[in-house]
Amino acid sequence: QVQVVESGGGLVQAGGSLRLSCKASGSVFSINAMGWYRQALGKQRELVAHIFSGGRTNYADSVKGRFTISRDNAKNTVFLQMNSLEPEDTAVYYCNVLTGVPVTLYWGQGTQVTVSS
């Protein structure tokens, strides 16, 4: 079984920064991609950013230039550096892990990010 655990959420003022971390552990033999989604109250879950095995990244338009996703392959860990945070970024942020052997999608429990104005 694979465990996915996020950390780093919290409450910050607009313009501030947070760094989220997510580690996959357990029966992890290979990882094809890791990423972050978020879900605000009353809204659909949406993509924030992905990073793939070859290092390619993908960002939602709303966070481009403000958020940076990175990955430590040796530690099965993905990070999300969030700068210039806005109240609209307030949401539960979920870590997503796509393993390669077998091909399986896993989700963390989520971490709350709240940005006050």
Side-chain angles (χ1 to χ4, degrees):
Q1 186 174 350
V2 174
Q3 293 81 45
V4 179
V5 180
E6 304 100 331
S7 63
L11 194 157
V12 297
Q13 295 181 1
S17 298
L18 282 174
R19 186 176 189 249
L20 305 184
S21 299
C22 171
K23 182 174 177 61
S25 60
S27 300
V28 181
F29 299 100
S30 65
I31 294 177
N32 289 343
M34 304 183 76
W36 295 92
Y37 285 69
R38 67 186 182 187
Q39 187 167 19
L41 187 64
K43 295 185 178 180
Q44 300 280 81
R45 187 173 298 188
E46 64 179 0
L47 168 71
V48 178
H50 285 156
I51 185 164
F52 302 94
S53 59
R56 292 166 292 130
T57 58
N58 184 42
Y59 295 92
D61 288 341
S62 60
V63 307
K64 286 181 179 177
R66 300 189 297 119
F67 292 9
T68 302
I69 189 169
S70 60
R71 180 177 171 183
D72 186 336
N73 291 335
K75 297 181 179 180
N76 293 329
T77 301
V78 65
F79 307 95
L80 185 68
Q81 179 66 47
M82 304 185 292
N83 298 326
S84 301
L85 283 162
E86 304 168 352
E88 292 75 20
D89 297 315
T90 296
V92 177
Y93 284 69
Y94 295 92
C95 182
N96 166 278
V97 178
L98 179 66
T99 60
V101 183
V103 177
T104 308
L105 187 65
Y106 296 92
W107 293 89
Q109 296 301 306
T111 185
Q112 177 71 48
V113 172
T114 302
V115 184
S116 65
S117 59

